[in-house]
Amino acid sequence: MRTTETQTVEYVSSNIDLNGNYITNVEVDAGNLFDIGFRIGDGIATPDDLFMSDGPWGYDDAAASTSVTNYTIEENEEGFDDTDYPVERNISLTAKTKEYIAAYRALTPKFNSINLTAYNSLQFTAKGTGTLIVRLVKEGVTNWESQYKATVNLTENYKDYAIAFEDFKTTDGSSIQPTDVTSIVYTMLADSGEEETKEMTFKQVRFSQSKSLSTTSESYVYANAVAVPNPMQNATTVTFYSKEQDTVNLLVYNQLGTLIKQKSVEAINGENRVLLTKENLSSGLYLVKIKSNTTTYKTIKLLIK
């Protein structure tokens, strides 16, 4: 990989306070956290510290002619299918270059390899300017030019992409065996040799068991529901998709399974957004269910601060 310097910036989530006596199990649904650190102790003896982190997004602007004008990391706006391997957080990158600009996503904090043989494709939604080279970087391949790559054409509007693993090729034309993938690298070249503005925006990046979008995209979209922001303070917006005009019930349950809030929604065909306010709800974890005559939606775990 042609690089001498990389830049990494990530979303920083709000603090989470865990308080209790003799805690044996704590489950916190905190949305799309990048990292979390906490300390366990009795206030007297030396405490135990624990730090957990996801892999970072970053960019390579080592080329002398390259300057980055926008680099934004945002949380995923939608959930993932249970059978997917999600690559959390979305990226938007704009740069001026006469050579190249690249963005990367490490799958682990230390670029350790992941065995992805249980999956069949890399899928994402993206927009941008021109040809995009996508590489799956294998730990066992030491020569950058021999890393496995595929090419797609980005457009100015969002489009869904599915690249089957068999379409990731090395220099001799053989397909990838994804037993030791460390990262995904997206590269755009300035083919003219003149300064060009390159843009790339990715969201909902994931490894999928399906090779194409056609067999799963509709069921994936219509079964999905998401609340943003989550955790919420005063209000959150619940987004879901309906196949037709329908009366839909939005139900909020506490952890004991008691229904404590409900809202009737006249859904339209396509995307629907419902504002859910805190009102008299106390802080804690809640389950949000959407009941429709046509669709079974995934339950949302909503954390209220």
Side-chain angles (χ1 to χ4, degrees):
M1 183 176 181
R2 296 174 294 174
T3 179
T4 58
E5 179 182 359
T6 58
Q7 302 289 331
T8 301
V9 179
E10 289 290 342
Y11 240 22
V12 179
S13 299
S14 300
N15 292 331
I16 298 175
D17 295 324
L18 305 178
N19 298 300
N21 296 319
Y22 300 102
I23 298 176
T24 58
N25 181 62
V26 175
E27 179 178 340
V28 178
D29 187 339
N32 307 90
L33 281 175
F34 170 57
D35 60 15
I36 179 173
F38 56 91
R39 172 169 291 185
I40 301 172
D42 60 3
I44 300 174
T46 302
D48 294 318
D49 291 333
L50 181 62
F51 178 78
M52 296 178 289
S53 176
D54 194 10
W57 278 101
Y59 62 79
D60 170 12
D61 64 343
S65 65
T66 300
S67 61
V68 173
T69 57
N70 171 62
Y71 177 60
T72 306
I73 302 294
E74 296 180 339
E75 65 178 305
N76 298 92
E77 297 176 351
E78 303 172 10
F80 293 93
D81 190 272
D82 290 340
T83 60
D84 289 340
Y85 183 105
V87 179
E88 296 283 4
R89 300 177 305 283
N90 306 322
I91 181 176
S92 180
L93 176 64
T94 304
K96 295 181 178 180
T97 184
K98 295 180 180 179
E99 298 164 84
Y100 77 95
I101 180 65
Y104 66 84
R105 173 57 158 83
L107 300 185
T108 66
K110 294 184 178 181
F111 287 77
N112 295 331
S113 64
I114 300 292
N115 188 334
L116 296 172
T117 54
Y119 305 92
N120 292 296
S121 68
L122 173 66
Q123 300 189 8
F124 52 87
T125 301
K127 65 179 181 178
T129 52
T131 302
L132 178 74
I133 302 170
V134 185
R135 287 179 174 88
L136 294 183
V137 179
K138 283 172 59 72
E139 185 177 50
V141 178
T142 57
N143 181 4
W144 171 251
E145 296 301 329
S146 298
Q147 294 289 355
Y148 293 78
K149 65 182 180 181
T151 302
V152 298
N153 291 316
L154 300 183
T155 62
E156 63 180 8
N157 297 315
Y158 278 116
K159 181 179 177 181
D160 295 329
Y161 296 88
I163 309 175
F165 283 163
E166 61 198 44
D167 292 329
F168 285 93
K169 308 280 189 180
T170 189
T171 50
D172 64 4
S174 59
S175 298
I176 192 171
Q177 296 297 319
T179 55
D180 58 344
V181 178
T182 64
S183 57
I184 311 166
V185 178
Y186 300 99
T187 304
M188 302 190 89
L189 304 177
D191 296 323
S192 66
E194 301 296 325
E195 183 176 82
E196 300 178 20
T197 298
K198 294 295 184 180
E199 300 178 7
M200 57 175 95
T201 300
F202 303 97
K203 61 182 182 179
Q204 299 307 115
V205 182
R206 62 200 182 273
F207 293 101
S208 174
Q209 294 182 357
S210 171
K211 289 186 177 181
S212 64
L213 294 166
S214 59
T215 59
T216 61
S217 58
E218 182 174 300
S219 60
Y220 167 76
V221 168
Y222 286 109
N224 203 18
V226 64
V228 177
N230 186 5
M232 87 173 201
Q233 291 183 325
N234 299 313
T236 189
T237 300
V238 177
T239 302
F240 66 93
Y241 293 81
S242 178
K243 297 179 180 179
E244 59 188 15
Q245 291 184 345
D246 193 9
T247 300
V248 174
N249 290 315
L250 189 149
L251 310 170
V252 181
Y253 296 85
N254 63 18
Q255 294 185 70
L256 300 177
T258 303
L259 178 64
I260 58 174
K261 190 181 182 76
Q262 61 180 330
K263 194 170 186 177
S264 180
V265 179
E266 294 301 321
I268 62 172
N269 183 7
E271 183 183 78
N272 293 267
R273 294 175 178 264
V274 181
L275 181 66
L276 182 63
T277 56
K278 181 178 180 179
E279 296 178 355
N280 61 344
L281 297 179
S282 58
S283 299
L285 183 65
Y286 294 85
L287 302 178
V288 180
K289 296 184 178 181
I290 300 173
K291 289 201 172 180
S292 163
N293 293 326
T294 60
T295 306
T296 301
Y297 294 94
K298 294 179 181 178
T299 300
I300 301 171
K301 291 182 179 180
L302 177 64
L303 184 66
I304 298 180
K305 291 184 178 180

